[in-house]
Amino acid sequence: MKKTKTVFIHLICWIALLTYFYGGALIRGVTFKQAAFDISMNFIQIVEFYICYLWLYPSFLKREKAFQLIIGALFVIALFIGMRYLIEQILFLHWFGIKNYPDETLNMRYVSDNIYYSISFLVIPAAIYGAQQSFKAEQANRKLKEEVVKAELAFLKSQINPHFLYNTLNYVYSLAIPVSDKLANAVLRLSDLMRYTLNESPDGMVNLEKEIEYLESFIELFKMRFEPNFYVDFTADGVLDQKIAALVLIPFVENAFKHGVVNDDTHPVRIRLKVQQKRLSFEVSNKISHAQKDHSSGVGLVNVHRRLDLIYPDRHELLISNNGNTYKTTLILNL
């Protein structure tokens, strides 16, 4: 529907523009020769417009692609000159015995003349494309602000004083020590997880080492639940003194524990984190459990997709593979 509306708007605009071009000429009267050259000129300009509008500017109107943009613009101008020469100097001469430029016209004059005519339909699509992108950016920013407000309201509505819960866990830990070391350790791990979520920095970025410690505490907490039949192979390599968005890795591990098999020593849950310079690779793979699952909606991974789009736009890649037996996610971040 949106594409149909766009095509309709373009069609109306071209009809209005061409009516303006040809209206006066039709009233005054025009020769066949003049009409033929006017029509060929407008046809080539329309072709030039859509080459720029659909290919040149969407592909290269970016700061880091200025050189490609210049080369593309020169290509479009050359194409304009070539098409006009083909139609008006060769085909029209063959079909109607007429041509636009006399034989004595110098090549330099012909080229410079047609560069002049091609410039306007190089600039117009740039202005239209730029205005459209500006309008889309404004819409996206407005939508983002609305989503931020909604998220903040939802958070405030659902918040249950996390500091109170953290302090309560510390109290429960003190009560659990004389009763059971295992219970006390479980409460301590849960308290560590709660403390990490409370100490998040204002900008939402944390040291990668802290994120890894959080993952390790999370894994240890699950290990207490399933031991001795709990098999997870977790390794972290590389320079880990980078910053990363808090809690962006945990949903992949949580998803593996929730929907995967954790008690098969021949197919352990494999978690690999590797950092090379400013590139982080985080890979989680697990054997798929075919036991009956709960009916949760998978909001966690949906939220991760959204967070990645907001925090790492054009700086992340998320790959998911599922062969029916093994589920694997690979997240690549440019930190």
Side-chain angles (χ1 to χ4, degrees), residues 78-276:
L79 184 64
F80 177 92
I81 296 172
M83 288 183 64
R84 197 170 182 210
Y85 186 84
L86 174 65
I87 293 174
E88 297 181 356
Q89 301 298 110
I90 298 177
L91 295 181
F92 277 11
L93 180 63
H94 178 72
W95 292 338
F96 311 120
I98 58 174
K99 57 183 178 179
N100 200 2
Y101 288 84
D103 294 335
E104 59 270 17
T105 302
L106 297 176
N107 291 336
M108 185 59 67
R109 167 63 190 281
Y110 183 84
V111 169
S112 61
D113 198 37
N114 282 281
I115 288 176
Y116 170 79
Y117 286 119
S118 67
I119 290 296
S120 59
F121 278 79
L122 200 65
V123 173
I124 291 173
I128 294 175
Y129 179 79
Q132 283 186 328
Q133 293 304 110
S134 177
F135 178 71
K136 288 180 181 179
E138 183 180 350
Q139 282 187 316
N141 288 335
R142 184 168 61 250
K143 185 177 180 181
L144 180 59
K145 289 179 181 178
E146 292 174 355
E147 289 181 355
V148 169
V149 172
K150 289 180 182 178
E152 185 177 358
L153 291 174
F155 173 76
L156 293 173
K157 184 178 179 181
S158 63
Q159 189 178 35
I160 308 174
N161 199 339
H163 290 278
F164 169 76
L165 292 178
Y166 173 61
N167 293 329
T168 302
L169 284 174
N170 286 334
Y171 174 67
V172 173
Y173 171 68
S174 66
L175 295 178
I177 290 176
V179 177
S180 167
D181 289 340
K182 185 175 182 179
L183 175 60
N185 287 332
V187 174
L188 183 61
R189 289 290 180 182
L190 186 57
S191 177
D192 289 340
L193 298 179
M194 179 67 72
R195 184 176 65 241
Y196 180 78
T197 59
L198 293 177
N199 292 336
E200 183 178 330
S201 62
D203 63 355
M205 307 300 288
V206 297
N207 290 327
L208 183 54
E209 295 98 327
K210 295 294 184 182
E211 185 79 358
I212 293 173
E213 290 175 7
Y214 181 83
L215 289 175
E216 291 172 341
S217 294
F218 185 83
I219 294 170
E220 285 299 318
L221 192 60
F222 264 80
K223 183 178 180 180
M224 293 177 187
R225 175 183 174 186
F226 292 102
E227 64 181 356
N229 298 317
F230 182 75
Y231 303 99
V232 174
D233 181 10
F234 176 37
T235 61
D237 299 313
V239 180
L240 305 179
D241 60 346
Q242 312 277 2
K243 288 280 190 177
I244 189 174
L247 302 175
V248 76
L249 303 180
I250 191 65
F252 302 106
V253 178
E254 184 180 8
N255 189 66
F257 290 174
K258 182 177 181 181
H259 300 287
V261 176
V262 298
N263 59 356
D264 186 348
D265 60 343
T266 62
H267 296 88
V269 176
R270 298 188 186 277
I271 306 170
R272 299 283 184 269
L273 188 150
K274 188 173 183 179
V275 179
Q276 290 181 318

